Amino acid sequence: MQIYLPIAEMPVSVLLLVGLGAAVGFISGLFGIGGGFLMTPILIVMGIPPAIAVATQTAPIVASSTTSVLAALRRNALDLRLGLVLVLGGFAGTSLGVWFFAAMRRAGQLDLVITIAYVTLFTVVGGLMLAESVRGFWARHRGRPRPARLGGDHAAYLAWPLRMRFPRSRLYASVIPILALALFVGFAGAVLGIGGGFILVPALLYLMRVPTGVVVGTSQFQILCTSFVALVLHAVQNQAVDVVLAVILIVGGVFGAQFGARAGRNLRSEYFRFLLAILVLAVGLRFALELALRPEEPFSIVVQEAR
């Protein structure tokens, strides 16, 4: 069954999109992170223009983050004060990212920028996560489990000026590194169409030493707010959000996420980190391969209407 996407200007199979949405939703529910870093590359591979894929994918991110935040509020697993600081930095990063997105699109370099950014970000983050997980496996194999990182431990950069107390996270720290982290996540989310959970969650755990119990809910609160702003800006400023595509992806993702969350409860933490690292690294290597291969059409002609 084919349906025409008015903004992407191409027909696609509804069943294929629902199936992909369900599969990515399952993985998202399994690992507890947004599926934008998977769905956006898949849409691009399917032939959806990168600008449309990035902008439209923010809609499913908003939908999934909303359910996650509501669940965290019910469990009292959200640090609202820390979340508001992250949102403040995220708004600045998102606005800057949408502006950069529009500028690169006008210059005709958006596809190249997205590909290089995916290669750099995903291979670096995936490689670091894989190394961390392998070290954990090796320590466990030798019978010396690595000591757990405790929430509330303070690193030197958290003692910079403009310190603020976050009782829920047992944290008394400078807002400067927190705002900088949020700005980067917001910028990357707007340019690449990713929620940024796979960056924000490890950063809050390992760099800010936020307790595990409030990390996911707090990060999802920031992602919800910044993704909503990105969605509106992409729709108004870039006219790049395909509503038909967004609705189909949301429907598939909702079903898949429910089953993924159930399966994730039985997944051991060391296997969780290892599989997530492989997943992130594979996405980065997929885009690296695209840069290395010769394109089918080395040259193209774009006709622009005179204004």
Side-chain angles (χ1 to χ4, degrees):
M1 177 180 173
Q2 296 282 317
I3 189 171
Y4 185 77
L5 303 179
I7 304 299
E9 299 181 340
M10 60 179 292
V12 293
S13 169
V14 176
L15 296 179
L16 176 61
L17 283 179
V18 171
L20 289 174
V24 172
F26 179 84
I27 295 173
S28 176
L30 182 67
F31 292 111
I33 58 176
F37 75 100
L38 279 176
M39 182 54 77
T40 302
I42 291 174
L43 293 176
I44 295 173
V45 171
M46 287 178 59
I48 305 291
I52 308 300
V54 168
T56 303
Q57 178 54 33
T58 54
I61 293 172
V62 169
S64 61
S65 297
T66 300
T67 58
S68 297
V69 169
L70 292 176
L73 284 172
R74 287 195 298 268
R75 300 193 314 268
N76 193 26
L78 191 156
D79 188 331
L80 191 57
R81 179 178 292 190
L82 177 59
L84 290 174
V85 174
L86 290 170
V87 166
L88 182 63
F91 281 166
T94 299
S95 301
L96 183 62
V98 172
W99 171 84
F100 180 77
F101 181 97
M104 291 298 99
R105 192 180 185 187
R106 288 193 299 269
Q109 300 299 319
L110 183 61
D111 293 10
L112 179 62
V113 168
I114 290 175
T115 301
I116 292 176
Y118 263 102
V119 171
T120 304
L121 181 62
F122 282 65
T123 52
V124 169
V125 173
L128 291 174
M129 292 171 67
L130 183 61
E132 172 78 14
S133 118
V134 169
R135 284 196 296 267
F137 272 127
W138 179 246
R140 189 180 184 88
H141 176 72
R142 297 180 62 186
R144 294 187 223 163
R146 304 181 72 197
R149 297 176 184 266
L150 301 176
D153 292 345
H154 286 238
Y157 47 82
L158 296 181
W160 291 352
L162 300 178
R163 299 179 76 181
M164 185 174 177
R165 194 174 299 279
F166 305 96
R168 186 71 183 83
S169 296
R170 291 183 289 150
L171 188 65
Y172 180 55
S174 168
V175 299
I176 296 175
I178 298 175
L179 288 172
L181 170 64
L183 188 146
F184 173 73
V185 172
F187 179 85
V191 174
L192 300 179
I194 57 178
F198 76 98
I199 303 174
L200 190 57
V201 169
L204 290 177
L205 281 172
Y206 295 109
L207 300 181
M208 306 303 169
R209 309 297 169 85
V210 176
T212 306
V214 298
V215 162
V216 174
T218 305
S219 68
Q220 288 296 317
F221 176 76
Q222 190 262 3
I223 290 167
L224 168 61
C225 297
T226 55
S227 295
F228 180 77
V229 171
L231 177 64
V232 173
L233 291 177
H234 276 309
V236 174
Q237 181 175 334
N238 300 322
Q239 293 83 46
V241 177
D242 195 308
V243 177
V244 176
L245 176 60
V247 170
I248 296 174
L249 294 178
I250 289 173
V251 170
V254 167
F255 285 104
Q258 302 301 318
F259 293 100
R262 294 177 184 177
R265 297 170 189 166
N266 302 320
L267 190 64
R268 293 175 58 180
S269 61
E270 56 266 31
Y271 295 118
F272 172 92
R273 293 192 298 268
F274 178 76
L275 292 175
L276 181 58
I278 292 294
L279 193 61
V280 173
L281 192 58
V283 174
L285 294 178
R286 162 64 182 79
F287 277 88
L289 184 63
E290 184 175 318
L291 284 176
L293 293 177
R294 179 182 176 86
E296 295 180 2
E297 298 181 6
F299 304 98
S300 62
I301 299 176
V302 177
V303 179
Q304 295 183 343
E305 296 180 1
R307 295 184 178 179

